[in-house]
Amino acid sequence: MRKVDVDFWKGKRVFLTGHTGFKGSWLSLWLHSMGAEVMGYALAPNTTPSLFEIAKIENLMKSEIGDIRDLAKITNSVNRFKPDILIHMAAQPLVRLSYAEPVETYSTNVMGTVNVLEAAKKVQALKAIVSVTTDKCYENKEWEWGYRENEPMGGHDPYSSSKGCAELVTAAYRKSFFNSEDSASLASARAGNVIGGGDWAEDRLIPDILQSFNNSEPVIIRNPLATRPWQHVLEPLSGYLILAEDLFNKGNEVSEGWNFGPNDEDCQPVASILDRMVSKWGEGASWELDHNSNPHEAGFLKLDCSKAKSKLDWNPVWNLDTTLDLIVDWYKAWNSGEDMQAKCLNEIKLYNKQS
């Protein structure tokens, strides 16, 4: 099983959109720990607290607060920094919010991606681009097997649809502008339901669970039978990093879409996550069903990651039980006032050691 190559990243100039978010904060820490020079571009953190702030990530990197919908500003930022590698993660990432704000969702996820790729076209030093979307980019037929990279794009809700659109944008830019030996190599990455310490986003399962546990209130759950590909946040991030390494070294051999999800046994219903979290947290933990009417969400969704396993030698490291143990431990450390930057860096070190 392949590890992220720490030596490769030392001294690399990495431009990262979405660095103030949950996944972006973890990736910023990981890149910094390997000696990369990181430039982040994103909106200010939209939760209080946020991992970006409590782990003091701004002190470890260059950071610019900006909107990817502002073509002039993102172009100026990318071209000033002159990155070797660009990882695009900035997005409107929530299904239910996309029903309330569809225009913002499409403008951010579709035109934002166009703007980032337009900016990237102008950087001669740039060799690798990873455009991150989601497992929800696929047209969901509610079937029992995992979606493969050649399945059609789709989406019932505005969020999923916008991510399918972002994949089509990425494919068109790859064929039209990033298709020669002189251009950067461009790939997309699709990950499952990412969980881990430091996520306080609204309307996400783990933050909702832990907020209720902390208040000794039952978690109110909309769809306990919804099945998702749950994975620790470091799992897809390792995939993005390994993919970027190969884009940099092998070019267009790997310029395509890639799935990074858990093993099949960790594709579990929400109720299973809840029961395990209740058991691990202990006193004050419980859940109950939400009987209100809610917007449509996919019932069953998982990814087939055979291609990443065979062609990139990427594999998941932590199973679901380990992931949930780490999450409970992380939030209890936060409640106890521990140094959360050190906590995250130790978790990254542990992941590297066990991979």
Side-chain angles (χ1 to χ4, degrees):
M1 185 171 66
R2 179 173 170 185
K3 292 186 175 186
V4 173
D5 184 351
V6 174
D7 292 335
F8 169 87
W9 291 97
K10 188 173 184 181
K12 288 290 189 301
R13 296 175 64 82
V14 183
F15 192 96
L16 174 61
T17 72
H19 69 293
T20 60
F22 166 56
K23 287 171 71 178
S25 294
W26 275 100
L27 187 53
S28 298
L29 282 168
W30 198 342
L31 287 164
H32 170 78
S33 74
M34 295 188 290
E37 186 176 345
V38 187
M39 170 73 195
Y41 181 98
L43 297 177
N46 65 352
T47 65
T48 303
S50 73
L51 180 58
F52 185 74
E53 291 170 337
I54 69 167
K56 300 179 174 60
I57 294 168
E58 190 171 11
N59 299 338
L60 307 178
M61 63 188 297
K62 296 177 181 177
S63 173
E64 181 173 356
I65 300 303
D67 195 322
I68 57 172
R69 293 174 294 181
D70 186 334
L71 176 58
K73 187 168 183 176
I74 182 66
T75 301
N76 183 51
S77 186
V78 172
N79 282 268
R80 268 197 338 267
F81 184 66
K82 296 180 173 57
D84 304 307
I85 295 167
L86 188 152
I87 302 175
H88 170 45
M89 295 204 305
Q92 192 297 92
L94 301 174
V95 171
R96 281 163 60 87
L97 182 60
S98 76
Y99 283 105
E101 299 182 357
V103 174
E104 180 181 344
T105 299
Y106 280 105
S107 62
T108 300
N109 295 348
V110 184
M111 287 310 300
T113 298
V114 171
N115 290 345
V116 171
L117 295 178
E118 276 294 306
K121 281 166 52 180
K122 299 175 172 61
V123 184
Q124 289 188 338
L126 186 62
K127 293 194 67 176
I129 307 168
V130 177
S131 180
V132 175
T133 62
T134 173
D135 58 345
K136 296 175 184 66
C137 67
Y138 294 107
E139 183 182 344
N140 190 353
K141 302 180 186 296
E142 300 283 350
W143 56 34
E144 295 180 2
W145 50 89
Y147 291 88
R148 296 170 296 177
E149 287 85 349
N150 59 356
E151 308 281 2
M153 299 292 104
H156 181 286
D157 56 88
Y159 167 72
S160 303
S161 170
S162 73
K163 285 300 195 172
C165 293
E167 282 284 351
L168 296 176
V169 165
T170 300
Y173 267 75
R174 179 167 55 240
K175 293 170 185 173
S176 301
F177 307 114
F178 298 103
N179 60 356
S180 70
E181 291 184 3
D182 298 329
S183 68
S185 297
L186 168 62
S188 63
R190 306 151 188 177
N193 278 51
V194 175
I195 55 179
D199 187 3
W200 281 282
E202 243 184 90
D203 217 20
R204 281 169 58 84
L205 181 63
I206 296 299
D208 287 351
I209 289 174
L210 290 159
Q211 181 177 350
S212 295
F213 286 3
N214 274 328
N215 296 332
S216 296
E217 298 171 349
V219 190
I220 308 301
I221 296 299
R222 296 187 300 272
N223 189 357
L225 299 181
T227 299
R228 299 286 186 270
W230 309 101
Q231 57 186 332
H232 191 280
V233 61
L234 296 182
E235 301 284 15
L237 297 185
S238 72
Y240 306 163
L241 293 171
I242 287 170
L243 177 57
E245 291 169 17
D246 277 5
L247 285 167
F248 191 95
N249 291 323
K250 299 179 181 179
N252 291 334
E253 284 183 41
V254 294
S255 294
E256 51 196 68
W258 298 88
N259 288 341
F260 298 103
N263 292 319
D264 284 352
E265 60 268 23
D266 288 334
C267 192
Q268 294 284 333
V270 168
S272 174
I273 302 291
L274 286 160
D275 291 339
R276 295 185 204 198
M277 289 291 285
V278 165
S279 174
K280 292 173 188 297
W281 189 267
E283 187 177 353
S286 64
W287 70 274
E288 60 187 47
L289 185 63
D290 181 357
H291 294 287
N292 294 319
S293 175
N294 289 291
H296 173 273
E297 294 182 77
F300 191 94
L301 183 61
K302 71 175 180 178
L303 296 174
D304 183 329
C305 302
S306 304
K307 189 172 81 166
K309 291 177 180 180
S310 62
K311 293 188 176 181
L312 299 179
D313 199 22
W314 173 89
N315 279 275
V317 174
W318 286 334
N319 63 25
L320 186 54
D321 269 334
T322 299
T323 295
L324 296 178
D325 283 339
L326 287 162
I327 289 171
V328 169
D329 180 66
W330 195 98
Y331 281 97
K332 287 190 172 181
W334 156 246
N335 286 338
S336 299
E338 291 187 25
D339 180 337
M340 299 316 292
Q341 183 184 112
K343 182 72 175 172
C344 291
L345 290 171
N346 284 336
E347 207 160 296
I348 292 168
K349 189 181 297 184
L350 177 65
Y351 183 89
N352 286 332
K353 184 178 178 181
Q354 295 181 351
S355 62

